[in-house]
Amino acid sequence: MNTAEAKPAVLELRGLSKSFGPVHAVKSVSLSIYPGEVIGLVGDNGAGKSTLTRMMAGTIRPDTGDIVVAGEKQTFESAQDARRAGVETVFQTLALVPGLDIVENIFLGRELLASGPLGAVTRTMDVAAMRRRVQEGYERFGLGLPDIRTKVAGLSGGQRQVVAIARAVLWGSRIVVLDEPTAALGVKQTELVLSFIEQLRSHNVAVVFISHNMQHVMRVADRVCVLRLGRKVFDGQMSALTGTDLVALMTGAATAVEQVAAAG
Amino acid sequence: MTRQQILTWTQRNGLFFALVLLIAIFSFASSRFLTVPNMTVILLQNAVIGLIVVPGAMLILCGLVDLSVGSIAVLAAVVFGQAMDSGFGLPVSMLLGLGVGMLWGAFNGYLIAILGFSPIIITLGGLAGARGLAEFITQGFTTYGYGPQFALLGNGKLLGVPVPIILFLIVLAIGLHLWYRAPLGRHMIAIGGAKDTAAELGIPVKLVPFWLYVASGLASALGGLIVASQLDGAAVTIGTGMELEVLTAILLGGVSFTGGRGSLFGVFFGLLFVGVLSNGLIQINVSPYVEQVAIGAALCGAAALDMLYQRLERLQVPVEREPNEPVAQGTGGSQ
């Protein structure tokens, strides 16, 4: 038990299963996620990573099993439900509008209105407050991003990824699920994203990091959960494993029992 | 200033300076040009188009278009004229005229925004259909003579300013507020630029365009009534070619025809540019045929400049071209 696990889990998946017709995509997977922890969710293609991700995001419903957020059982009917419960998923599509700037994107669809009845009637935005909030976020997380009024169209892939993650965090989400955040990024861009994820850990945010790049997982994850053919085959501290062990687990060349024995 | 800032600045203000330059040239060429009466004439001549341009520009920002504006204008005028002839009285007749415009706008909005029909096809149908309906109702005859009260709408003045200009400025002020100070402006850019993302973030991607079509119908009907008031007759020629004038002002103003990009200030300058150009060419005794050529040339020039800016902008984006990591999927980390 390390210090992170002494706190109560912020997100718990209890025996989640999902089938698509005859295909059992996810078979009774349980997972606890703690605040201030980065958990790597890895697996080969078809291991059930994206099905599990989509269940956490609220876009598909599990056949059986429960999702428990901060001790409360939740049923996600939609992505909005998941977001409202505090689980924010950043998909590879990022959901950013290139023609709007960073502040506009972060507040898109939830703009702050000027206080008082006049603001509500005339729908006048409090532009200054929105800029201030984003600027504060820049300072709090040490975001290496260009000026807050830069259009997203002018940002690199890594910077866009950081904006998308920052939006989730700035909205107070304590659990952030990142779907392949470093896919298709260059070395420098990847570094930008990974160092931001490390920042999140120190701000007590729980991060589920889905990837099939072993180097990236080993770099940021405290704990790793390996899926294979829909089942959880390993769940334990990253430090106990080498890259070779991980690959062996993912491909089924080794079982968790052997790994734990070897590590212990 | 960096090169990027210079680019953005000229792109934002280019049309404004072209307008100032144009005014300077005409003022130099004709002493009657830069006078208060002539400036009022320019505004008055473009007030009706200006009213319709505001919701029209918002539709284009959303990636949609309304080609039926001129035909809705004539239909509203004709319905008003028939109602007056049938003795409904001025207020009811005006409400009927405006109502018919909103109804046609709601029809457009329902088919296009809610059901997803092609905006060009549906409103092109409206362009033919609404005018045809107006001609059918009147059988081609113009009704006229609505009394001095109705004449105030097109010819009246408030504190020395013609009523159509006041109406235009009110609509413009509301439009500017919604575009720049209300969430709607950002939502329209999102709908026009990345509709799926907008929907994912809970923006009403169907209702916003729906109400914009209703607003466009209402503005067109109001425009039709203003022209009917100026003519003191519901002529079936009202609004002919209006859709092209509206589109010219919007596109000259730099709103992207594919949606997601544009400024209402730009559209306002686009409207004034066309107005100043037509007026000025007449002032310096250039043939009215040349006027159309000049507007056409200005539009093509604006499109070419816009393309140039977009190319330059794309070059400016700092794309880091690094090779992807030499690690194949799934085999990484094995030493």
PDB file of all heavy atoms in Angstrom, chain B residues 114-138:
ATOM      1  N   ILE B 114     -33.775  21.651 -38.843  1.00  0.00           N
ATOM      2  CA  ILE B 114     -34.260  20.501 -38.069  1.00  0.00           C
ATOM      3  C   ILE B 114     -34.169  19.213 -38.887  1.00  0.00           C
ATOM      4  O   ILE B 114     -33.662  18.203 -38.426  1.00  0.00           O
ATOM      5  CB  ILE B 114     -35.715  20.718 -37.582  1.00  0.00           C
ATOM      6  CG1 ILE B 114     -35.883  22.103 -36.947  1.00  0.00           C
ATOM      7  CG2 ILE B 114     -36.149  19.599 -36.630  1.00  0.00           C
ATOM      8  CD1 ILE B 114     -35.275  22.318 -35.595  1.00  0.00           C
ATOM      9  N   LEU B 115     -34.666  19.261 -40.143  1.00  0.00           N
ATOM     10  CA  LEU B 115     -34.687  18.031 -40.936  1.00  0.00           C
ATOM     11  C   LEU B 115     -33.426  17.819 -41.758  1.00  0.00           C
ATOM     12  O   LEU B 115     -33.195  16.740 -42.289  1.00  0.00           O
ATOM     13  CB  LEU B 115     -35.913  18.008 -41.853  1.00  0.00           C
ATOM     14  CG  LEU B 115     -37.281  18.000 -41.161  1.00  0.00           C
ATOM     15  CD1 LEU B 115     -38.400  17.876 -42.186  1.00  0.00           C
ATOM     16  CD2 LEU B 115     -37.374  16.850 -40.153  1.00  0.00           C
ATOM     17  N   GLY B 116     -32.616  18.870 -41.910  1.00  0.00           N
ATOM     18  CA  GLY B 116     -31.332  18.688 -42.581  1.00  0.00           C
ATOM     19  C   GLY B 116     -31.338  18.776 -44.098  1.00  0.00           C
ATOM     20  O   GLY B 116     -30.441  18.263 -44.756  1.00  0.00           O
ATOM     21  N   PHE B 117     -32.367  19.416 -44.679  1.00  0.00           N
ATOM     22  CA  PHE B 117     -32.377  19.607 -46.136  1.00  0.00           C
ATOM     23  C   PHE B 117     -31.287  20.603 -46.539  1.00  0.00           C
ATOM     24  O   PHE B 117     -30.815  21.400 -45.729  1.00  0.00           O
ATOM     25  CB  PHE B 117     -33.725  20.146 -46.594  1.00  0.00           C
ATOM     26  CG  PHE B 117     -34.801  19.100 -46.686  1.00  0.00           C
ATOM     27  CD1 PHE B 117     -35.455  18.658 -45.539  1.00  0.00           C
ATOM     28  CD2 PHE B 117     -35.164  18.559 -47.916  1.00  0.00           C
ATOM     29  CE1 PHE B 117     -36.439  17.684 -45.609  1.00  0.00           C
ATOM     30  CE2 PHE B 117     -36.150  17.592 -47.998  1.00  0.00           C
ATOM     31  CZ  PHE B 117     -36.791  17.152 -46.841  1.00  0.00           C
ATOM     32  N   SER B 118     -30.925  20.600 -47.820  1.00  0.00           N
ATOM     33  CA  SER B 118     -29.903  21.520 -48.315  1.00  0.00           C
ATOM     34  C   SER B 118     -30.404  22.962 -48.270  1.00  0.00           C
ATOM     35  O   SER B 118     -31.464  23.281 -48.818  1.00  0.00           O
ATOM     36  CB  SER B 118     -29.542  21.165 -49.754  1.00  0.00           C
ATOM     37  OG  SER B 118     -29.079  22.301 -50.434  1.00  0.00           O
ATOM     38  N   PRO B 119     -29.655  23.864 -47.620  1.00  0.00           N
ATOM     39  CA  PRO B 119     -30.102  25.257 -47.527  1.00  0.00           C
ATOM     40  C   PRO B 119     -30.214  25.932 -48.889  1.00  0.00           C
ATOM     41  O   PRO B 119     -31.125  26.732 -49.115  1.00  0.00           O
ATOM     42  CB  PRO B 119     -29.034  25.923 -46.655  1.00  0.00           C
ATOM     43  CG  PRO B 119     -27.871  25.006 -46.663  1.00  0.00           C
ATOM     44  CD  PRO B 119     -28.409  23.628 -46.893  1.00  0.00           C
ATOM     45  N   ILE B 120     -29.315  25.600 -49.798  1.00  0.00           N
ATOM     46  CA  ILE B 120     -29.362  26.251 -51.113  1.00  0.00           C
ATOM     47  C   ILE B 120     -30.626  25.832 -51.855  1.00  0.00           C
ATOM     48  O   ILE B 120     -31.349  26.661 -52.399  1.00  0.00           O
ATOM     49  CB  ILE B 120     -28.089  25.928 -51.928  1.00  0.00           C
ATOM     50  CG1 ILE B 120     -26.894  26.629 -51.262  1.00  0.00           C
ATOM     51  CG2 ILE B 120     -28.235  26.366 -53.371  1.00  0.00           C
ATOM     52  CD1 ILE B 120     -25.620  26.588 -52.033  1.00  0.00           C
ATOM     53  N   ILE B 121     -30.929  24.544 -51.851  1.00  0.00           N
ATOM     54  CA  ILE B 121     -32.076  24.059 -52.611  1.00  0.00           C
ATOM     55  C   ILE B 121     -33.389  24.586 -52.019  1.00  0.00           C
ATOM     56  O   ILE B 121     -34.252  25.101 -52.734  1.00  0.00           O
ATOM     57  CB  ILE B 121     -32.089  22.512 -52.660  1.00  0.00           C
ATOM     58  CG1 ILE B 121     -30.834  22.017 -53.396  1.00  0.00           C
ATOM     59  CG2 ILE B 121     -33.342  21.995 -53.340  1.00  0.00           C
ATOM     60  CD1 ILE B 121     -30.622  20.533 -53.343  1.00  0.00           C
ATOM     61  N   ILE B 122     -33.525  24.480 -50.693  1.00  0.00           N
ATOM     62  CA  ILE B 122     -34.780  24.883 -50.055  1.00  0.00           C
ATOM     63  C   ILE B 122     -35.037  26.383 -50.238  1.00  0.00           C
ATOM     64  O   ILE B 122     -36.149  26.808 -50.591  1.00  0.00           O
ATOM     65  CB  ILE B 122     -34.782  24.532 -48.548  1.00  0.00           C
ATOM     66  CG1 ILE B 122     -34.741  23.013 -48.359  1.00  0.00           C
ATOM     67  CG2 ILE B 122     -36.005  25.119 -47.850  1.00  0.00           C
ATOM     68  CD1 ILE B 122     -35.921  22.266 -48.949  1.00  0.00           C
ATOM     69  N   THR B 123     -33.993  27.205 -50.037  1.00  0.00           N
ATOM     70  CA  THR B 123     -34.250  28.640 -50.134  1.00  0.00           C
ATOM     71  C   THR B 123     -34.305  29.093 -51.591  1.00  0.00           C
ATOM     72  O   THR B 123     -34.907  30.112 -51.898  1.00  0.00           O
ATOM     73  CB  THR B 123     -33.213  29.470 -49.338  1.00  0.00           C
ATOM     74  OG1 THR B 123     -31.908  29.245 -49.869  1.00  0.00           O
ATOM     75  CG2 THR B 123     -33.245  29.110 -47.872  1.00  0.00           C
ATOM     76  N   LEU B 124     -33.680  28.330 -52.495  1.00  0.00           N
ATOM     77  CA  LEU B 124     -33.851  28.619 -53.931  1.00  0.00           C
ATOM     78  C   LEU B 124     -35.299  28.332 -54.307  1.00  0.00           C
ATOM     79  O   LEU B 124     -35.917  29.071 -55.075  1.00  0.00           O
ATOM     80  CB  LEU B 124     -32.896  27.748 -54.753  1.00  0.00           C
ATOM     81  CG  LEU B 124     -32.636  28.164 -56.189  1.00  0.00           C
ATOM     82  CD1 LEU B 124     -32.039  29.557 -56.246  1.00  0.00           C
ATOM     83  CD2 LEU B 124     -31.705  27.165 -56.877  1.00  0.00           C
ATOM     84  N   GLY B 125     -35.856  27.273 -53.717  1.00  0.00           N
ATOM     85  CA  GLY B 125     -37.272  26.975 -53.910  1.00  0.00           C
ATOM     86  C   GLY B 125     -38.116  28.125 -53.391  1.00  0.00           C
ATOM     87  O   GLY B 125     -39.088  28.542 -54.029  1.00  0.00           O
ATOM     88  N   GLY B 126     -37.729  28.673 -52.241  1.00  0.00           N
ATOM     89  CA  GLY B 126     -38.437  29.806 -51.661  1.00  0.00           C
ATOM     90  C   GLY B 126     -38.318  31.045 -52.538  1.00  0.00           C
ATOM     91  O   GLY B 126     -39.262  31.827 -52.671  1.00  0.00           O
ATOM     92  N   LEU B 127     -37.151  31.222 -53.147  1.00  0.00           N
ATOM     93  CA  LEU B 127     -36.915  32.359 -54.038  1.00  0.00           C
ATOM     94  C   LEU B 127     -37.952  32.358 -55.169  1.00  0.00           C
ATOM     95  O   LEU B 127     -38.544  33.384 -55.497  1.00  0.00           O
ATOM     96  CB  LEU B 127     -35.493  32.271 -54.612  1.00  0.00           C
ATOM     97  CG  LEU B 127     -35.075  33.254 -55.697  1.00  0.00           C
ATOM     98  CD1 LEU B 127     -34.967  34.646 -55.153  1.00  0.00           C
ATOM     99  CD2 LEU B 127     -33.742  32.838 -56.309  1.00  0.00           C
ATOM    100  N   ALA B 128     -38.190  31.180 -55.752  1.00  0.00           N
ATOM    101  CA  ALA B 128     -39.182  31.076 -56.816  1.00  0.00           C
ATOM    102  C   ALA B 128     -40.585  31.032 -56.217  1.00  0.00           C
ATOM    103  O   ALA B 128     -41.484  31.749 -56.676  1.00  0.00           O
ATOM    104  CB  ALA B 128     -38.915  29.819 -57.631  1.00  0.00           C
ATOM    105  N   GLY B 129     -40.757  30.222 -55.189  1.00  0.00           N
ATOM    106  CA  GLY B 129     -42.082  29.945 -54.649  1.00  0.00           C
ATOM    107  C   GLY B 129     -42.766  31.141 -54.013  1.00  0.00           C
ATOM    108  O   GLY B 129     -43.940  31.418 -54.283  1.00  0.00           O
ATOM    109  N   ALA B 130     -42.034  31.888 -53.162  1.00  0.00           N
ATOM    110  CA  ALA B 130     -42.666  32.994 -52.444  1.00  0.00           C
ATOM    111  C   ALA B 130     -43.043  34.111 -53.420  1.00  0.00           C
ATOM    112  O   ALA B 130     -44.105  34.726 -53.306  1.00  0.00           O
ATOM    113  CB  ALA B 130     -41.727  33.521 -51.355  1.00  0.00           C
ATOM    114  N   ARG B 131     -42.164  34.359 -54.390  1.00  0.00           N
ATOM    115  CA  ARG B 131     -42.490  35.398 -55.375  1.00  0.00           C
ATOM    116  C   ARG B 131     -43.665  34.955 -56.250  1.00  0.00           C
ATOM    117  O   ARG B 131     -44.567  35.737 -56.548  1.00  0.00           O
ATOM    118  CB  ARG B 131     -41.273  35.731 -56.250  1.00  0.00           C
ATOM    119  CG  ARG B 131     -41.529  36.864 -57.240  1.00  0.00           C
ATOM    120  CD  ARG B 131     -40.258  37.359 -57.864  1.00  0.00           C
ATOM    121  NE  ARG B 131     -39.352  37.946 -56.885  1.00  0.00           N
ATOM    122  CZ  ARG B 131     -39.471  39.189 -56.410  1.00  0.00           C
ATOM    123  NH1 ARG B 131     -40.440  39.978 -56.851  1.00  0.00           N
ATOM    124  NH2 ARG B 131     -38.631  39.636 -55.517  1.00  0.00           N
ATOM    125  N   GLY B 132     -43.655  33.666 -56.627  1.00  0.00           N
ATOM    126  CA  GLY B 132     -44.760  33.122 -57.414  1.00  0.00           C
ATOM    127  C   GLY B 132     -46.075  33.268 -56.664  1.00  0.00           C
ATOM    128  O   GLY B 132     -47.094  33.673 -57.243  1.00  0.00           O
ATOM    129  N   LEU B 133     -46.031  32.974 -55.365  1.00  0.00           N
ATOM    130  CA  LEU B 133     -47.229  33.077 -54.541  1.00  0.00           C
ATOM    131  C   LEU B 133     -47.715  34.525 -54.502  1.00  0.00           C
ATOM    132  O   LEU B 133     -48.917  34.800 -54.613  1.00  0.00           O
ATOM    133  CB  LEU B 133     -46.905  32.573 -53.134  1.00  0.00           C
ATOM    134  CG  LEU B 133     -48.082  32.251 -52.215  1.00  0.00           C
ATOM    135  CD1 LEU B 133     -48.964  31.182 -52.831  1.00  0.00           C
ATOM    136  CD2 LEU B 133     -47.559  31.774 -50.854  1.00  0.00           C
ATOM    137  N   ALA B 134     -46.765  35.455 -54.371  1.00  0.00           N
ATOM    138  CA  ALA B 134     -47.116  36.878 -54.336  1.00  0.00           C
ATOM    139  C   ALA B 134     -47.790  37.278 -55.655  1.00  0.00           C
ATOM    140  O   ALA B 134     -48.793  38.003 -55.667  1.00  0.00           O
ATOM    141  CB  ALA B 134     -45.871  37.720 -54.102  1.00  0.00           C
ATOM    142  N   GLU B 135     -47.258  36.796 -56.767  1.00  0.00           N
ATOM    143  CA  GLU B 135     -47.831  37.133 -58.070  1.00  0.00           C
ATOM    144  C   GLU B 135     -49.209  36.500 -58.233  1.00  0.00           C
ATOM    145  O   GLU B 135     -50.132  37.093 -58.781  1.00  0.00           O
ATOM    146  CB  GLU B 135     -46.883  36.683 -59.194  1.00  0.00           C
ATOM    147  CG  GLU B 135     -45.714  37.647 -59.336  1.00  0.00           C
ATOM    148  CD  GLU B 135     -44.574  37.108 -60.193  1.00  0.00           C
ATOM    149  OE1 GLU B 135     -44.650  35.941 -60.633  1.00  0.00           O
ATOM    150  OE2 GLU B 135     -43.607  37.861 -60.395  1.00  0.00           O
ATOM    151  N   PHE B 136     -49.344  35.274 -57.706  1.00  0.00           N
ATOM    152  CA  PHE B 136     -50.626  34.585 -57.800  1.00  0.00           C
ATOM    153  C   PHE B 136     -51.694  35.335 -57.000  1.00  0.00           C
ATOM    154  O   PHE B 136     -52.808  35.557 -57.470  1.00  0.00           O
ATOM    155  CB  PHE B 136     -50.471  33.153 -57.269  1.00  0.00           C
ATOM    156  CG  PHE B 136     -51.768  32.391 -57.229  1.00  0.00           C
ATOM    157  CD1 PHE B 136     -52.350  31.905 -58.399  1.00  0.00           C
ATOM    158  CD2 PHE B 136     -52.414  32.170 -56.020  1.00  0.00           C
ATOM    159  CE1 PHE B 136     -53.543  31.225 -58.364  1.00  0.00           C
ATOM    160  CE2 PHE B 136     -53.613  31.479 -55.980  1.00  0.00           C
ATOM    161  CZ  PHE B 136     -54.180  31.007 -57.159  1.00  0.00           C
ATOM    162  N   ILE B 137     -51.313  35.765 -55.778  1.00  0.00           N
ATOM    163  CA  ILE B 137     -52.269  36.467 -54.913  1.00  0.00           C
ATOM    164  C   ILE B 137     -52.755  37.752 -55.579  1.00  0.00           C
ATOM    165  O   ILE B 137     -53.946  38.060 -55.580  1.00  0.00           O
ATOM    166  CB  ILE B 137     -51.619  36.789 -53.542  1.00  0.00           C
ATOM    167  CG1 ILE B 137     -51.402  35.501 -52.742  1.00  0.00           C
ATOM    168  CG2 ILE B 137     -52.498  37.746 -52.729  1.00  0.00           C
ATOM    169  CD1 ILE B 137     -50.575  35.702 -51.487  1.00  0.00           C
ATOM    170  N   THR B 138     -51.823  38.486 -56.173  1.00  0.00           N
ATOM    171  CA  THR B 138     -52.191  39.786 -56.745  1.00  0.00           C
ATOM    172  C   THR B 138     -52.610  39.666 -58.201  1.00  0.00           C
ATOM    173  O   THR B 138     -53.109  40.626 -58.768  1.00  0.00           O
ATOM    174  CB  THR B 138     -50.999  40.743 -56.698  1.00  0.00           C
ATOM    175  OG1 THR B 138     -49.923  40.136 -57.424  1.00  0.00           O
ATOM    176  CG2 THR B 138     -50.568  41.022 -55.279  1.00  0.00           C
TER     177      THR B 138
END
